[in-house]
Amino acid sequence: MPRCDWDAIILGAGPAGLALAARLASRRVLLLERQLEPAQGLRIGESLPGAASLLLQRLGLFEEFQSGNHLERGATIAIWDSEEPVWRDSLRDPAGPGWVIDRRQFEQILLNAANRRGATIRYGCQNFQVSRAAEHWSVEIEGDSTQHVAPVIVDASGRSASLARRLGVNHTKQDSQVCLHSFLIAPAHDEDTTTRILADQDGWWYSVRLASGYRVLAYHLDAKHPERLDLQNPEAFLDRARHHPLLAEVLGQTKAAEVHTRPAGTAMLDIASLDKAGPGFLAIGDAAITFDPISSQGLFHALASAEAAAKAINAGCWQAPPAMQTFKQELTAVGAHYLAKLRLTYQGPQRFAQASFWAERRG
Ligand SMILES: Cc1cc2nc3c(=O)[nH]c(=O)nc-3n(C[C@H](O)[C@H](O)[C@H](O)COP(=O)(O)OP(=O)(O)OC[C@H]3O[C@@H](n4cnc5c(N)ncnc54)[C@H](O)[C@@H]3O)c2cc1C
């Protein structure tokens, strides 16, 4: 079997995998994606904190990002700890207000950078074998007669963490929250720039307008909620949202649209045991830590963990335990800080303390 040598093989061409491929510019990188082509169409996950600007600068992509179809984040109006709406002005954030991004454009910038910087990206890689021999990782892709070999393999497969789990690293799904959401066509007069967040008995909502003219309306509730299937009806979903004046104000006479569902709860790898998989195994982005959307940290973490992984790879982590240790310590600290903050967030709506959604998430 012919053999092809790489410096790193990455699984998953989402924001984390693409950011890592773009960072490893001078190296031979093979990026394997199971989808047949780059994803198109609308995708939820549009809030990017201001602190991401530093990461984008270090990636050399900030200027390109700024020229995209993104909106500066306006104020947040939250009905959370009490029934009184609380305004938080995003301009007060020391790292800057952040953005409501065009998600696909954001991913396209990362994809273009990975391509420009020489990564080989293969789509449609659904079946492959991964093994470790003679101090290398070896990947054999169905329908490809080449053996792909590298000292490093990175799981960037998103919340499924499919490679890590396959290689025996413990993975915990800590929350069965799902997100029901619609992309509504915002009326021309909808110039609202706020992000509206509110807690109710069974979960929490948010809505924000995108630069593309759509308005995201999202409801997060438990996967086993008895009304979950009923709420997948577009009219029922919009109708439920309109019960809340904070949302009704911006939804107006907007027409209902298809309701999509995505898993949206925290999930985590046991970072301390990454070595179980073998030397030179790393996990980044959602594959390492899947953040609850309430934190709006998923994309920041995708970029930050890609940066940490690039440092580890450049320091030869497969044969340098301190480099691996630094990577693991960074991710472990992020995970611990996040879980502590998340518990506090879910303790906020005391008025629903007895409701099962909140009781299960108060920690
Ligand atoms: C409802 C919801 C709202 C969100 N809102 C926000 C937000 O406002 N702000 C924010 O920052 N974050 C948000 N997030 C989180 C954000 O979307 C994720 O953190 C981000 O997409 C993680 O990027 P990733 O590259 O790690 O994973 P993904 O984006 O999931 O990409 C993983 C890639 O790996 C591929 N893949 C999977 N398995 C395999 C396999 N076996 N082989 C090859 N390829 C594979 C997938 O096809 C995909 O392309 C939200 C998430 C949800 C669910």
Side-chain angles (χ1 to χ4, degrees):
M1 182 181 258
R3 169 179 157 144
C4 189
D5 280 84
W6 304 91
D7 294 316
I9 298 175
I10 305 169
L11 192 79
L18 290 169
L20 177 57
R23 278 210 167 262
L24 294 174
S26 55
R27 297 189 173 269
R28 295 163 301 169
V29 174
L30 175 63
L31 181 49
L32 304 176
E33 166 59 48
R34 74 171 169 195
Q35 300 292 340
L36 296 176
E37 54 187 36
Q40 309 284 332
L42 294 161
R43 178 174 174 187
I44 195 157
E46 61 293 316
S47 171
L48 187 69
S53 61
L54 278 179
L55 294 167
L56 288 167
Q57 275 164 25
R58 293 206 287 260
L59 255 174
L61 297 177
F62 188 51
E63 275 184 25
E64 197 178 342
F65 167 77
Q66 278 184 307
S67 66
N69 197 23
H70 316 296
L71 296 174
E72 189 169 280
R73 241 164 77 174
T76 300
I77 313 178
I79 296 185
W80 197 265
D81 293 349
S82 79
E83 288 292 354
E84 281 306 304
V86 173
W87 280 71
R88 204 185 65 235
D89 193 338
S90 55
L91 289 170
R92 290 226 192 116
D93 189 325
W99 298 268
V100 177
I101 60 169
D102 180 318
R103 176 68 189 253
R104 290 304 182 202
Q105 223 177 59
F106 176 76
E107 289 176 10
Q108 189 66 45
I109 289 173
L110 295 171
L111 172 60
N112 293 346
N115 274 322
R116 266 196 319 268
R117 296 174 191 181
T120 298
I121 307 180
R122 300 245 330 234
Y123 288 91
C125 298
Q126 291 176 356
N127 295 313
F128 46 84
Q129 298 298 323
V130 177
S131 56
R132 203 181 145 71
E135 302 189 351
H136 276 89
W137 293 97
S138 164
V139 177
E140 288 170 34
I141 307 164
E142 193 179 77
D144 172 357
S145 57
T146 307
Q147 182 192 19
H148 298 277
V149 169
V152 172
I153 194 159
V154 183
D155 188 345
S157 67
R159 66 176 295 122
S160 67
S162 56
L163 181 59
R165 288 190 294 122
R166 208 199 287 190
L167 295 174
V169 183
N170 293 340
H171 183 250
T172 357
K173 194 173 147 233
Q174 302 190 333
D175 187 349
S176 54
Q177 178 174 258
V178 292
C179 170
L180 306 186
H181 57 282
S182 287
F183 295 99
L184 307 167
I185 298 177
H189 61 263
D190 181 356
E191 290 183 354
D192 184 80
T193 58
T194 60
T195 300
R196 291 164 181 245
I197 302 180
L198 74 90
D200 74 10
Q201 172 92 5
D202 298 321
W204 60 275
W205 295 84
Y206 84 84
S207 185
V208 68
R209 189 173 58 83
L210 307 176
S212 58
Y214 287 93
R215 168 171 285 284
V216 182
L217 174 66
Y219 188 30
H220 303 74
L221 70 174
D222 202 277
K224 54 186 187 300
H225 189 283
E227 282 179 278
R228 176 187 153 185
L229 291 180
D230 297 341
L231 286 171
Q232 277 170 343
N233 173 292
E235 273 76 27
F237 183 60
L238 192 54
D239 198 43
R240 177 66 66 92
R242 285 199 177 108
H243 285 164
H244 300 290
L246 185 70
L247 298 175
E249 249 171 47
V250 286
L251 294 173
Q253 295 309 307
T254 313
K255 284 207 182 84
E258 186 182 353
V259 178
H260 309 268
T261 305
R262 285 185 77 100
T266 300
M268 254 184 212
L269 276 186
D270 177 10
I271 304 291
S273 72
L274 279 190
D275 303 329
K276 255 191 184 174
F281 172 77
L282 301 168
I284 58 173
D286 277 15
I289 306 172
T290 307
F291 288 73
D292 188 309
I294 192 70
S295 71
S296 294
Q297 288 296 312
L299 293 172
F300 179 88
H301 166 69
L303 299 177
S305 58
E307 184 175 284
K311 278 188 196 148
I313 293 168
N314 287 330
C317 62
W318 61 96
Q319 56 192 7
M324 192 63 202
Q325 199 54 25
T326 305
F327 175 78
K328 289 195 301 187
Q329 275 168 354
E330 192 170 314
L331 255 65
T332 304
V334 169
H337 179 72
Y338 158 67
L339 286 180
K341 260 196 105 175
L342 187 71
R343 259 193 297 277
L344 285 178
T345 303
Y346 279 108
Q347 282 166 8
Q350 289 288 337
R351 61 199 180 285
F352 303 127
Q354 304 308 318
S356 64
F357 176 87
W358 298 97
E360 284 168 18
R361 289 166 178 81
R362 292 162 62 82

